[in-house]
Amino acid sequence: AMLVARVLPAAAGLALWGVLALAAGVFTGVLDRIDASDAGPSWRDRITKSAGLVAIVYGATLLVGAAAGANDPLRPLAFLAARAGGA
């Protein structure tokens, strides 16, 4: 995604990073149910699900920012602050 982002417009590159983050979150198994065993879910299961949830939220934020025309992956919702400050 990093090399392709150099060729595409900034919003398209941001959307690709968002799709990559969403895929990473889904791949960690955040949407799967943790089976209750005798000892309960392990700390690894909980950390993996937490990291996957963070990746999904960040990926969705990147996609929203890309749809709004943002170009900075560290500040994808900066247009909201600019709009609130200008009003």
Side-chain angles (χ1 to χ4, degrees), residues 4 10 12-13 15 20 22-23 26 30 32-33 39 41 43 48 59 69-71 76-77 84:
V4 175
L20 183 66
L22 282 173
V26 170
V30 73
D32 297 337
R33 180 176 286 198
W43 62 272
T48 302
N71 57 5
L77 300 179

Side-chain angles (χ1 to χ4, degrees), residues 54-84:
V54 168
I56 285 180
V57 169
Y58 182 60
T61 304
L62 287 177
L63 287 176
V64 168
N71 57 5
D72 187 3
L74 298 178
R75 296 179 23 176
L77 300 179
F79 67 92
L80 294 176
R83 187 177 299 160

Side-chain angles (χ1 to χ4, degrees), residues 27 40 67:
F27 181 72

